Amino acid sequence: MAEKEINKIKMEIIEAGKRMLHKDLVIGTAGNISVRISGEDRILVTPSHVEYDKTEIDDILVVDSEGNVLEGDRNPSIETGMHIGVYKARPDVGAVVHSHAICTSAIASLGKTIPPFLDGLVSTIGGEIEVAEYGMPGSEELAENAVRALGEKNAVLLANHGSLCCGKNLKDALENTELVERVAQIFIFSSILGKPRNLPQEVVELQQGIFEMMR
Ligand SMILES: [Zn+2]
């Protein structure tokens, strides 16, 4: 991919970071974003400890699938290994977003999954949103647990931490992050009022079929 196109993706990553910040999906320098360069062994990833609204184009790093820095002077995000793990397991994934959104993290802290209780959830995410077993931030254990619990879906909760969402491109990965937070909020509200009812099983299966088709 030409330098000009790579710079365009870097700008999109910067914009996505600002959107995450302004939508309250993260605070400070928490969370991270990556995009795989299609057909290449190169991944663009946000730097560690740089605020989203101060991130500049040269702050975005280029790493290979072993995590080696190919371009950039910053340190890549500590969760780069988790992002790489997803790309290795999922050839269909083009972008990964990791956030610490409030309602998502609240449910993840209970070690609870988000069941298929709302229309739009299954066709977009792929089914029940699982929760990955706890792993320390930045650890290989967290990366392995996240990739395993994510499976073939587009989102996974990270116990006591946040979420990881993916998609075929950055727009989808970011929208999935926003959707999961919204769904998490609705799940909490409906759990306060009673027990949220799952969608009928045939609807879940139908929506899973739509998800497979769109992937
Ligand atoms: Zn995190």
XYZ file of all heavy atoms in Angstrom, residues 44 90 135 159 207:
37
model
N -1.169 -0.969 11.701
C -1.032 0.382 12.257
C -1.655 0.354 13.647
O -2.770 -0.164 13.808
C -1.779 1.393 11.385
C -1.370 1.456 9.916
C -2.271 2.422 9.159
C 0.068 1.892 9.782
N -8.219 -14.314 12.973
C -9.387 -13.889 12.187
C -8.993 -13.164 10.897
O -8.878 -11.929 10.878
C -10.255 -12.968 13.055
C -10.919 -13.659 14.246
C -12.162 -14.397 13.818
N -13.117 -13.461 13.240
C -13.957 -12.715 13.950
N -13.975 -12.787 15.256
N -14.808 -11.896 13.338
N -7.054 -11.427 32.608
C -5.611 -11.437 32.360
C -5.116 -10.034 32.647
O -5.833 -9.061 32.424
N -12.795 -9.401 31.280
C -13.149 -9.384 32.707
C -12.416 -8.282 33.463
O -11.202 -8.102 33.285
C -12.844 -10.745 33.321
N -30.776 -14.200 12.724
C -29.846 -13.060 12.779
C -28.390 -13.533 12.717
O -27.528 -12.829 12.186
C -30.104 -12.219 14.037
C -31.471 -11.533 13.972
C -31.656 -10.446 15.021
O -30.789 -10.186 15.842
N -32.813 -9.814 15.005
